[in-house]
Coordinates of all heavy atoms in Angstrom, one line a residue:
D689 N -4.9 13.2 -6.4 CA -6.1 12.9 -7.3 C -5.8 13.0 -8.8 O -6.2 12.3 -9.6 CB -7.2 14.0 -6.9 CG -8.5 13.6 -7.5 OD1 -8.9 12.4 -7.5 OD2 -9.2 14.5 -8.0
D690 N -4.9 14.0 -9.1 CA -4.5 14.2 -10.6 C -3.9 12.9 -11.1 O -4.2 12.5 -12.3 CB -3.6 15.3 -10.8 CG -4.2 16.7 -10.5 OD1 -5.5 16.8 -10.6 OD2 -3.5 17.6 -10.2
A691 N -3.1 12.3 -10.4 CA -2.4 11.1 -10.9 C -3.2 9.8 -10.5 O -2.8 8.7 -10.9 CB -1.0 11.0 -10.3
R692 N -4.3 9.9 -9.7 CA -5.0 8.8 -9.2 C -4.1 7.8 -8.5 O -4.1 6.6 -8.8 CB -5.9 8.1 -10.3 CG -6.8 9.0 -11.0 CD -8.2 9.0 -10.8 NE -8.9 7.7 -10.5 CZ -9.8 7.7 -9.5 NH1 -10.1 8.7 -8.8 NH2 -10.4 6.5 -9.3
L693 N -3.2 8.4 -7.6 CA -2.2 7.6 -7.0 C -2.3 7.7 -5.5 O -2.3 8.8 -4.9 CB -0.8 8.1 -7.4 CG 0.4 7.4 -6.9 CD1 0.5 6.0 -7.4 CD2 1.6 8.2 -7.2
A694 N -2.3 6.5 -4.8 CA -2.2 6.4 -3.4 C -0.8 6.1 -3.0 O -0.1 5.3 -3.7 CB -3.1 5.3 -2.9
V695 N -0.2 6.8 -2.0 CA 1.1 6.6 -1.6 C 1.0 6.1 -0.1 O 0.5 6.7 0.7 CB 1.9 8.0 -1.6 CG1 3.4 7.7 -1.1 CG2 1.9 8.5 -3.0
E696 N 1.6 4.9 0.1 CA 1.5 4.3 1.4 C 2.9 4.2 2.0 O 3.8 3.6 1.3 CB 0.9 2.9 1.3 CG -0.5 2.9 0.9 CD -1.5 3.6 1.9 OE1 -1.3 3.3 3.1 OE2 -2.2 4.4 1.5
V697 N 3.1 4.6 3.2 CA 4.4 4.5 3.9 C 4.2 3.3 4.8 O 3.4 3.3 5.7 CB 4.7 5.7 4.7 CG1 6.0 5.6 5.4 CG2 4.8 7.0 3.8
D698 N 5.0 2.3 4.5 CA 4.9 1.0 5.2 C 6.0 0.8 6.2 O 7.2 0.8 5.9 CB 5.0 -0.2 4.2 CG 3.8 -0.3 3.3 OD1 2.8 0.4 3.6 OD2 3.8 -1.0 2.3
G699 N 5.6 0.6 7.5 CA 6.5 0.3 8.5 C 6.8 -1.2 8.6 O 6.3 -1.9 7.7
S700 N 7.5 -1.6 9.6 CA 7.9 -3.1 9.6 C 6.7 -3.9 9.9 O 6.8 -5.1 9.5 CB 8.9 -3.3 10.8 OG 8.3 -2.9 12.0
G701 N 5.6 -3.4 10.4 CA 4.4 -4.2 10.6 C 3.8 -4.7 9.2 O 3.1 -5.8 9.2
H702 N 4.1 -4.1 8.2 CA 3.6 -4.5 6.9 C 4.3 -5.8 6.3 O 3.9 -6.3 5.3 CB 3.7 -3.4 5.9 CG 2.7 -2.3 6.2 ND1 1.5 -2.3 5.5 CD2 2.7 -1.3 7.0 CE1 0.8 -1.2 6.0 NE2 1.5 -0.6 6.8
E703 N 5.4 -6.2 7.0 CA 6.1 -7.4 6.6 C 5.4 -8.7 7.2 O 5.7 -9.7 6.8 CB 7.6 -7.3 7.1 CG 8.3 -6.2 6.4 CD 9.7 -5.9 7.0 OE1 10.1 -6.7 7.9 OE2 10.3 -4.9 6.6
H704 N 4.5 -8.6 8.2 CA 3.8 -9.7 8.7 C 2.9 -10.2 7.7 O 2.2 -9.5 6.9 CB 3.0 -9.2 10.0 CG 2.5 -10.4 10.8 ND1 1.3 -10.9 10.4 CD2 3.0 -11.0 11.8 CE1 1.0 -11.9 11.3 NE2 2.0 -12.0 12.1
P705 N 2.8 -11.6 7.6 CA 2.0 -12.2 6.5 C 0.5 -11.8 6.5 O -0.1 -11.5 5.5 CB 2.1 -13.7 6.8 CG 3.4 -13.8 7.5 CD 3.5 -12.6 8.3
D706 N -0.1 -11.6 7.7 CA -1.5 -11.2 7.8 C -1.6 -9.8 7.2 O -2.6 -9.5 6.5 CB -2.0 -11.2 9.2 CG -2.2 -12.7 9.7 OD1 -2.3 -13.6 8.8 OD2 -2.3 -12.9 10.9
Q707 N -0.8 -8.9 7.6 CA -0.8 -7.5 7.1 C -0.5 -7.5 5.6 O -1.2 -6.7 4.9 CB 0.2 -6.6 7.8 CG 0.1 -5.1 7.4 CD -1.2 -4.5 7.8 OE1 -1.8 -4.7 8.9 NE2 -1.8 -3.8 6.9
A708 N 0.4 -8.3 5.2 CA 0.7 -8.3 3.7 C -0.6 -8.8 2.9 O -0.8 -8.2 1.8 CB 1.8 -9.3 3.4
R709 N -1.3 -9.7 3.4 CA -2.5 -10.2 2.7 C -3.6 -9.0 2.7 O -4.2 -8.8 1.7 CB -3.1 -11.4 3.5 CG -2.4 -12.7 3.0 CD -3.2 -14.0 3.5 NE -3.1 -14.1 4.9 CZ -2.1 -14.6 5.6 NH1 -1.0 -15.1 5.0 NH2 -2.1 -14.7 6.9
H710 N -3.7 -8.4 3.9 CA -4.6 -7.2 3.9 C -4.2 -6.2 2.9 O -5.1 -5.6 2.2 CB -4.6 -6.6 5.4 CG -5.4 -5.4 5.4 ND1 -6.8 -5.3 5.5 CD2 -5.0 -4.1 5.5 CE1 -7.2 -4.1 5.5 NE2 -6.1 -3.3 5.6
D711 N -2.9 -5.8 2.9 CA -2.4 -4.8 1.9 C -2.7 -5.2 0.5 O -3.1 -4.4 -0.3 CB -0.9 -4.6 2.1 CG -0.6 -3.9 3.3 OD1 -1.4 -3.3 4.0 OD2 0.6 -4.0 3.7
M712 N -2.6 -6.5 0.1 CA -2.9 -7.0 -1.2 C -4.4 -6.8 -1.6 O -4.8 -6.4 -2.6 CB -2.5 -8.5 -1.4 CG -1.0 -8.6 -1.5 SD -0.5 -10.4 -1.6 CE -1.7 -11.2 -2.4
R713 N -5.3 -7.2 -0.6 CA -6.7 -7.0 -0.8 C -7.1 -5.5 -0.9 O -7.9 -5.2 -1.9 CB -7.5 -7.5 0.4 CG -7.7 -9.0 0.4 CD -8.6 -9.5 1.4 NE -8.4 -9.0 2.8 CZ -7.7 -9.6 3.7 NH1 -7.0 -10.7 3.4 NH2 -7.5 -9.1 4.9
R714 N -6.5 -4.6 -0.2 CA -6.6 -3.2 -0.2 C -6.2 -2.7 -1.5 O -6.9 -1.9 -2.2 CB -5.9 -2.6 1.0 CG -6.1 -1.1 1.1 CD -5.3 -0.8 2.4 NE -5.6 0.6 2.8 CZ -4.7 1.5 2.6 NH1 -3.5 1.3 2.2 NH2 -5.0 2.8 3.0
T715 N -5.0 -3.1 -2.0 CA -4.5 -2.6 -3.3 C -5.4 -3.1 -4.4 O -5.7 -2.3 -5.3 CB -3.0 -3.1 -3.5 OG1 -2.2 -2.6 -2.4 CG2 -2.5 -2.8 -4.8
H716 N -5.9 -4.3 -4.4 CA -6.8 -4.8 -5.4 C -8.0 -4.0 -5.4 O -8.5 -3.6 -6.5 CB -7.1 -6.2 -5.1 CG -8.0 -6.9 -6.1 ND1 -7.7 -7.1 -7.4 CD2 -9.3 -7.2 -6.0 CE1 -8.7 -7.6 -8.1 NE2 -9.7 -7.7 -7.3
W717 N -8.6 -3.7 -4.2 CA -9.8 -2.9 -4.2 C -9.6 -1.5 -4.8 O -10.4 -1.0 -5.5 CB -10.3 -2.8 -2.7 CG -11.6 -2.1 -2.5 CD1 -12.8 -2.8 -2.4 CD2 -11.9 -0.7 -2.3 NE1 -13.8 -1.9 -2.2 CE2 -13.3 -0.6 -2.1 CE3 -11.1 0.4 -2.3 CZ2 -13.9 0.6 -1.9 CZ3 -11.7 1.6 -2.1 CH2 -13.1 1.7 -1.9
L718 N -8.5 -0.8 -4.4 CA -8.2 0.5 -5.0 C -8.0 0.4 -6.5 O -8.4 1.3 -7.2 CB -7.0 1.0 -4.3 CG -7.2 1.4 -2.8 CD1 -5.9 1.7 -2.1 CD2 -8.1 2.7 -2.7
N719 N -7.2 -0.6 -6.9 CA -7.0 -0.7 -8.4 C -8.3 -0.9 -9.2 O -8.4 -0.3 -10.3 CB -6.1 -1.9 -8.6 CG -4.6 -1.7 -8.2 OD1 -3.9 -2.7 -8.1 ND2 -4.2 -0.5 -7.9
L720 N -9.2 -1.6 -8.6 CA -10.5 -1.7 -9.3 C -11.2 -0.5 -9.5 O -12.1 -0.3 -10.4 CB -11.4 -2.7 -8.6 CG -11.0 -4.2 -8.7 CD1 -11.9 -5.1 -7.8 CD2 -11.1 -4.7 -10.1
R721 N -10.9 0.5 -8.7 CA -11.5 1.8 -8.7 C -10.6 2.9 -9.4 O -10.8 4.1 -9.3 CB -11.8 2.3 -7.3 CG -13.2 1.6 -6.8 CD -13.2 1.3 -5.4 NE -14.3 0.5 -5.0 CZ -14.4 -0.8 -5.1 NH1 -13.4 -1.5 -5.5 NH2 -15.5 -1.5 -4.8
G722 N -9.6 2.3 -10.1 CA -8.7 3.2 -10.9 C -7.7 3.9 -10.1 O -7.1 4.9 -10.6
I723 N -7.4 3.5 -8.9 CA -6.3 4.1 -8.0 C -5.1 3.2 -8.0 O -5.2 2.1 -7.5 CB -6.9 4.4 -6.6 CG1 -8.0 5.4 -6.7 CG2 -5.7 5.0 -5.7 CD1 -8.8 5.6 -5.4
A724 N -4.0 3.7 -8.4 CA -2.7 3.0 -8.3 C -2.2 3.2 -6.9 O -2.4 4.2 -6.3 CB -1.7 3.4 -9.4
V725 N -1.4 2.2 -6.5 CA -0.8 2.3 -5.1 C 0.7 2.2 -5.3 O 1.3 1.4 -5.9 CB -1.3 1.1 -4.3 CG1 -0.6 1.1 -2.9 CG2 -2.8 1.2 -4.1
H726 N 1.4 3.2 -4.7 CA 2.9 3.3 -4.6 C 3.2 3.1 -3.1 O 3.0 3.9 -2.3 CB 3.3 4.7 -5.1 CG 4.8 4.9 -5.2 ND1 5.5 4.3 -6.2 CD2 5.6 5.5 -4.4 CE1 6.8 4.7 -6.0 NE2 6.9 5.4 -4.9
R727 N 4.0 2.0 -2.9 CA 4.4 1.7 -1.5 C 5.8 2.1 -1.2 O 6.7 1.9 -2.1 CB 4.2 0.2 -1.2 CG 2.8 -0.3 -1.3 CD 2.6 -1.6 -0.6 NE 1.1 -1.8 -0.4 CZ 0.4 -1.3 0.6 NH1 1.0 -0.6 1.5 NH2 -0.9 -1.5 0.6
I728 N 6.0 2.7 -0.1 CA 7.4 3.2 0.2 C 7.7 2.6 1.6 O 6.9 2.8 2.6 CB 7.4 4.7 0.2 CG1 7.1 5.3 -1.1 CG2 8.8 5.2 0.7 CD1 6.8 6.8 -1.1
A729 N 8.8 2.0 1.8 CA 9.2 1.5 3.2 C 9.6 2.7 4.0 O 10.3 3.7 3.6 CB 10.4 0.6 3.0
A730 N 9.1 2.7 5.2 CA 9.4 3.8 6.2 C 10.9 4.1 6.4 O 11.4 5.2 6.4 CB 8.7 3.6 7.5
R731 N 11.7 2.9 6.3 CA 13.1 3.1 6.5 C 13.7 3.8 5.3 O 14.7 4.5 5.5 CB 13.8 1.7 6.7 CG 13.7 0.8 5.5 CD 14.3 -0.6 5.8 NE 14.0 -1.5 4.7 CZ 12.9 -2.2 4.7 NH1 12.0 -2.2 5.8 NH2 12.6 -3.1 3.8
D732 N 13.1 3.7 4.1 CA 13.6 4.5 3.0 C 13.3 5.9 3.1 O 14.1 6.8 2.7 CB 13.0 3.9 1.7 CG 13.5 2.6 1.3 OD1 14.5 2.2 1.8 OD2 12.8 1.9 0.6
V733 N 12.2 6.3 3.6 CA 11.8 7.8 3.9 C 12.9 8.3 4.8 O 13.4 9.4 4.6 CB 10.4 7.9 4.4 CG1 10.2 9.4 4.8 CG2 9.4 7.5 3.4
L734 N 13.2 7.6 5.9 CA 14.2 8.0 6.9 C 15.6 8.1 6.3 O 16.4 8.9 6.7 CB 14.1 7.2 8.1 CG 12.8 7.2 8.9 CD1 12.7 6.2 10.0 CD2 12.5 8.6 9.4
G735 N 16.0 7.1 5.5 CA 17.3 7.0 5.1 C 17.7 7.4 3.7 O 18.9 7.7 3.4
N736 N 16.7 7.6 2.8 CA 16.9 8.0 1.4 C 15.8 8.8 0.9 O 15.2 8.4 -0.1 CB 17.2 6.7 0.6 CG 17.5 7.0 -0.8 OD1 17.9 8.1 -1.2 ND2 17.3 6.0 -1.7

């Protein structure tokens, strides 16, 4: 809340075009409300 930041952990399903479009709409909706979105690949959490 302090940073007004959403952190999303994206698995391989987020690479599908339909999911990517949904993610873009969702990010836009959040941005309009002053919330930034930081996306992290699940494989990065596991490996780095």
Side-chain angles (χ1 to χ4, degrees):
D689 192 42
D690 291 338
R692 306 256 323 139
L693 180 69
V695 179
E696 293 296 312
V697 179
D698 293 343
S700 60
H702 288 265
E703 295 170 6
H704 189 273
D706 290 340
Q707 184 63 45
R709 279 190 292 278
H710 172 76
D711 289 345
M712 284 177 32
R713 283 191 307 272
R714 183 175 190 254
T715 297
H716 180 70
W717 189 91
L718 290 166
N719 289 165
L720 288 175
R721 283 145 186 87
I723 299 172
V725 178
H726 183 79
R727 295 196 168 279
I728 301 169
R731 67 181 166 274
D732 291 340
V733 174
L734 296 172
N736 183 18

